[in-house]
Amino acid sequence: MRAGRGAPIAAIAAAFASALVTAPAGAVSPPTGWNGANPFNCELQNAGFGTAFPHPDADPFCVEYDKRRQNVTELGVVDFLSQEPVRVAAAVPKCFYFQSDHWRGSIVQNDPSTKTYEWDGHYFFDKATGDGGVWVTNFNFNGRTYDPSAIPGMPPDYARFFGPGTGGMITHDSIPTDPRCVALAQANHRAVYGPGKPVSSCSAPVGSVSRRRLGVVALGDNERRVRDLLGSPHELRRGYLRYCLNDRRSYLVGQAGDRSGEEGDRGDGEEPTTLVYSDSETYRYERVRPGLGTSALRRRWRRAVVRLRMGRVRIYAPTRTSPVIAGVRAGRVRWLAVYDRASIRARDDLREYLLRTTPD
């Protein structure tokens, strides 16, 4: 990786471009912006210029590298390249990974006039949610600020999150999920993501809906546990703790009653969860998910019944006794929910709960 002062921008940018998470064609969930904040609850291990990790078995594994000795005259770039395979090998088996690093290339190490490229970056992946992100700042070539969105081959969906010298984005469906990591996140959400910290998005692994659970929240979980798992909601309105509304996807945790209030209005914290609802396409039950057509729903839920009609919306269930339901409008599944049939027995009660999923 010899980077002379006259080297083309595309060649110099190859290292940065390789850090971008490549989304599959036809991705369902669009990328969203990211400010580079560490999404995990972890110690940032400083490995400096090398690969001596204080706690190599940690997961989340969070590490900081200094990559500012990529010089030519002292063969610093050769030493840098020799370290990279070890760094990659340390990251690959982890469920939850965050990296902070500092890049600088130059011809002569201590001669600023020979600097070729420089940036500071943060990167992460989460194999429980399928999220992965990259953020950079101080991005420059030959001492001049450069816009990462102008890198040749940058997808337009990514480019819109970058500007002169800085920017960041998260993809939500390009990192393969791992069942082991899903289980770790569900069992140890607070240890992985930290207390009082909301989930980064509504993304969730395929298969995370059951007759008692949608995502990490189970029916019967009290409000205190929900907040321990997911952090403070974006809003408490009409009896629902509302998450992820800023990501154009809803994750709603419903309780009895129509309580609303400012964030932090917790009641006594003992209110049980009676319904969990989401319109995110990453949730599915027996191969049915939001976005699926009605005919496909009927093929996959062969014993499907219409539990309720609400104007133009039909509420389907896979069987007469299932607590899992799907809202269908205009020929498409719009949302999935799971509810406590012992608490919500009558159709009118279920209707009232579903009417309250809308904020007004």
Side-chain angles (χ1 to χ4, degrees):
M1 183 177 170
R2 185 182 178 99
R5 299 173 80 176
I9 289 290
I12 300 176
F16 169 72
S18 68
L20 288 170
V21 181
T22 302
V28 172
S29 300
T32 54
W34 182 40
N35 63 3
N38 188 343
F40 305 121
N41 180 31
C42 60
E43 172 192 351
L44 188 63
Q45 303 182 48
N46 190 343
F49 294 103
T51 56
F53 310 115
H55 306 289
D57 296 326
D59 197 357
F61 185 67
C62 303
V63 64
E64 182 170 19
Y65 296 113
D66 193 333
K67 301 180 178 181
R68 290 176 288 198
R69 287 182 181 170
Q70 298 179 52
N71 63 75
V72 174
T73 57
E74 299 174 19
L75 300 182
V77 70
V78 175
D79 177 68
F80 159 73
L81 291 173
S82 71
Q83 304 273 9
E84 287 297 276
V86 178
R87 292 167 177 159
V88 172
V92 167
K94 304 299 184 183
C95 287
F96 315 102
Y97 180 78
F98 173 83
Q99 176 179 319
S100 173
D101 58 23
H102 313 281
W103 293 67
R104 183 184 300 141
S106 57
I107 305 302
V108 179
Q109 180 64 31
N110 295 319
D111 186 348
S113 68
T114 70
K115 185 177 69 172
T116 52
Y117 53 87
E118 185 174 34
W119 71 80
D120 301 295
H122 290 177
Y123 326 91
F124 85 93
F125 63 73
D126 186 334
K127 294 180 186 176
T129 64
D131 292 347
V134 58
W135 171 87
V136 295
T137 191
N138 188 36
F139 197 77
N140 66 85
F141 291 108
N142 296 329
R144 296 182 178 180
T145 297
Y146 187 76
D147 186 341
S149 68
I151 293 175
M154 172 79 79
D157 280 354
Y158 295 0
R160 63 193 179 96
F161 296 106
F162 294 89
T166 193
M169 43 75 65
I170 297 174
T171 66
H172 299 292
D173 49 13
S174 61
I175 300 296
T177 56
D178 183 327
R180 177 178 65 89
C181 303
V182 172
L184 283 174
Q186 291 181 344
N188 305 284
H189 191 280
R190 187 166 183 165
V192 171
Y193 300 108
K197 190 171 185 177
V199 292
S200 59
S201 73
C202 281
S203 298
V206 172
S208 60
V209 183
S210 72
R211 291 173 62 91
R212 295 292 302 172
R213 175 186 301 275
L214 195 155
V216 298
V217 176
L219 298 176
D221 284 347
N222 64 21
E223 183 174 337
R224 184 176 297 109
R225 173 162 174 76
V226 172
R227 289 176 181 258
D228 282 345
L229 289 170
L230 298 180
S232 299
H234 293 97
E235 185 180 29
L236 169 58
R237 191 170 180 84
R238 305 195 71 185
Y240 282 93
L241 305 175
R242 298 171 182 268
Y243 293 91
C244 304
L245 298 179
N246 63 345
D247 198 27
R248 294 182 296 176
R249 297 289 187 271
S250 303
Y251 186 92
L252 310 183
V253 180
Q255 303 167 345
D258 204 2
R259 182 166 63 105
S260 299
E262 298 296 326
E263 190 283 313
D265 179 6
R266 302 187 180 206
D268 61 8
E270 298 301 322
E271 298 83 356
T273 296
T274 49
L275 187 147
V276 189
Y277 165 111
S278 181
D279 58 3
S280 172
E281 295 177 354
T282 55
Y283 293 97
R284 63 191 66 199
Y285 182 75
E286 295 182 355
R287 300 188 299 146
V288 168
R289 58 167 175 76
L292 195 69
T294 308
S295 59
L297 177 149
R298 287 172 173 161
R299 288 195 303 271
R300 296 174 185 186
W301 288 0
R302 295 182 179 276
R303 300 167 59 193
V305 296
V306 176
R307 179 72 46 84
L308 188 64
R309 288 179 173 86
M310 298 174 59
R312 293 181 297 169
V313 180
R314 291 189 176 187
I315 314 302
Y316 282 83
T319 67
R320 292 187 179 278
T321 60
S322 177
V324 179
I325 52 177
V328 175
R329 178 173 56 82
R332 293 281 172 187
V333 177
R334 303 298 173 173
W335 49 261
L336 288 178
V338 57
Y339 71 100
D340 184 355
R341 296 198 69 190
S343 301
I344 307 173
R345 298 184 178 185
R347 289 187 180 184
D348 285 347
D349 293 338
L350 179 59
R351 185 192 307 275
E352 188 268 338
Y353 266 87
L354 295 177
L355 286 173
R356 288 197 281 113
T357 60
T358 58
D360 298 322

